[in-house]
Amino acid sequence: MRGDRRGSSAGSAGATPSWGEVREGGGAPLRVSAAHADPYRAIDRQPDPAQYVAFLEARGRTASQTRLRGRFLRFCGVRPGSNVLEVGTGTGVLARDVAAIVGRRGRVVAVDPSRVLVSAARRLAREQGLDGRIEFRVGEGARLRVPAGRFDVALAVTVLLHVPDAGAIVRELARVTRPGGVVGIQDQDLGSLVLDHPERALTRRILDGVAARTIVDPWSGRTLVGQLAAAGLTRVRLTTDVFQDTTLTPFTRSMLERRAENAVRFRLASARAAARWLETIERLAAERRFVMTLNFYGAAGIKPVTPGGPR
Ligand SMILES: C[S@@+](CC[C@H](N)C(=O)[O-])C[C@H]1O[C@@H](n2cnc3c(N)ncnc32)[C@H](O)[C@@H]1O
């Protein structure tokens, strides 16, 4: 078996997970003013916002994430000449892919509330020869300063799981999409993170407990179809990808290490139990018995030509 490869699923398959539970400033306390300690709610207030730039770029570069993005953009109907909005662009990983597809006849507007991320996104686009091809803006997904009906496609990828009112962002995506255009959203679902480990109760405590404390909605992936339907979109479709790792790739290893660290910080496990848990994972990998999978969900819907019209 090989790790980090496509697994079987309905529709399509396989991708590196979007590790939402990024380590908080190398162990420093999370800094968010809101009630939930999800660092992505307020990147610029984290002790070391630059680490998120590095993380998002590292994640975006992995082959399986690149494949995942390509499949999702095809699923959403992004094509040469499309006029596309991306909300929660981060460092612009997806926006750069979109710019390459839509070409000079198309248009890409990419929005994020973090000044640090938007500034990095501008620099990275410039460095990759996409200067002037993507319009990056600092802004909130639920309050876009864009007239209604402007875009052929409006997207948000691994954003909704980090926001307290995902519905408001989806409604805003729908507002700025032209009638007949597409709203596409994608999230992993951390409730579907499966790891074979003999200490099952401890595993659930670490995986679910840390996700619940560091991600606003760890189960966001499974809600996406409902989110689009609630925003009035029609012909809503779902595509499911499964990330699978059977070799404990460096990406997976660092994610599980962060989980274990955070489990200790949140008093979900003792330091000794967390260390033992990680040792077992290393042993399973050495014995070629490591198995971890995670579902990614992508949903797309059409903005009705007549509001409230037939579905
Ligand atoms: C996990 S990152 C994903 C970034 C990018 N979409 C990607 O896949 O690389 C989540 C992003 O959502 C952004 N975000 C958080 N709250 C937001 C909001 N209210 N509106 C729009 N974006 C938001 C964060 O600043 C961050 O860039």
Side-chain angles (χ1 to χ4, degrees):
M1 288 194 289
R2 285 180 21 242
D4 191 12
R5 65 172 186 185
R6 292 167 67 137
S8 61
S9 69
S12 55
T16 299
S18 163
W19 307 122
E21 67 292 20
V22 164
R23 178 190 202 137
E24 306 85 349
L30 290 162
R31 284 189 197 150
V32 280
S33 58
H36 197 285
D38 185 329
Y40 281 109
R41 291 189 67 182
I43 288 289
D44 294 357
R45 278 186 239 141
Q46 299 309 310
D48 178 15
Q51 75 169 300
Y52 296 89
V53 174
F55 171 79
L56 290 172
E57 286 299 305
R59 182 181 76 177
R61 270 193 302 273
T62 62
S64 49
Q65 276 286 328
T66 305
R67 283 196 298 272
L68 176 88
R69 290 195 303 277
R71 283 196 294 273
F72 180 65
L73 292 176
R74 281 193 295 279
F75 177 72
C76 293
V78 174
R79 55 178 64 93
S82 295
N83 185 6
V84 180
L85 171 77
E86 190 206 354
V87 159
T89 189
T91 55
V93 170
L94 187 82
R96 296 196 298 269
D97 286 355
V98 173
I101 295 171
V102 302
R104 292 191 182 276
R105 288 191 298 114
R107 181 181 178 219
V108 189
V109 177
V111 177
D112 199 281
S114 162
R115 287 180 188 281
V116 172
L117 294 182
V118 166
S119 147
R122 287 193 181 115
R123 174 179 53 78
L124 287 156
R126 222 174 20 248
E127 286 170 6
Q128 294 181 30
L130 291 166
D131 211 7
R133 301 268 301 277
I134 307 168
E135 188 183 329
F136 288 106
R137 299 183 187 172
V138 175
E140 271 289 320
R143 290 188 302 278
L144 297 168
R145 290 190 298 275
V146 173
R150 278 298 160 95
F151 294 95
D152 300 320
V153 183
L155 304 169
V157 167
T158 63
V159 174
L160 300 183
L161 76 166
H162 297 296
V163 300
D165 188 359
I169 292 187
V170 178
R171 285 192 295 279
E172 190 66 344
L173 292 174
R175 183 184 70 78
V176 301
T177 300
R178 67 166 170 78
V182 175
V183 176
I185 49 184
Q186 186 186 55
D187 264 345
Q188 73 268 53
D189 188 300
L190 287 151
S192 71
L193 180 54
V194 165
L195 175 70
D196 183 28
H197 195 293
E199 292 192 80
R200 292 183 175 184
L202 177 64
T203 298
R204 282 269 64 92
R205 227 169 35 245
I206 293 175
L207 297 184
D208 294 343
V210 172
R213 286 161 180 79
T214 55
I215 296 173
V216 173
D217 184 5
W219 284 19
S220 172
R222 71 193 73 182
T223 72
L224 300 183
V225 164
Q227 293 278 6
L228 291 182
L233 293 147
T234 64
R235 289 154 55 193
V236 175
R237 295 169 294 131
L238 179 73
T239 182
T240 306
D241 275 274
V242 180
F243 166 77
Q244 104 178 12
D245 185 353
T246 56
T247 60
L248 187 60
T249 59
F251 222 65
T252 300
R253 175 182 281 112
S254 86
M255 183 278 275
L256 294 174
E257 286 170 355
R258 289 196 305 271
R259 284 290 179 108
E261 279 171 19
N262 280 326
V264 175
R265 184 173 310 155
F266 293 124
R267 298 176 196 277
L268 296 162
S270 67
R272 180 182 293 192
R276 188 182 67 231
W277 188 73
L278 288 173
E279 278 162 22
T280 302
I281 287 169
E282 294 291 349
R283 179 174 55 74
L284 290 170
E287 294 170 358
R288 299 178 184 275
R289 291 167 52 204
F290 178 77
V291 172
M292 194 188 85
T293 63
L294 175 63
N295 291 359
F296 275 72
Y297 298 100
I302 309 285
K303 178 164 173 175
V305 176
T306 317
R311 298 192 165 198

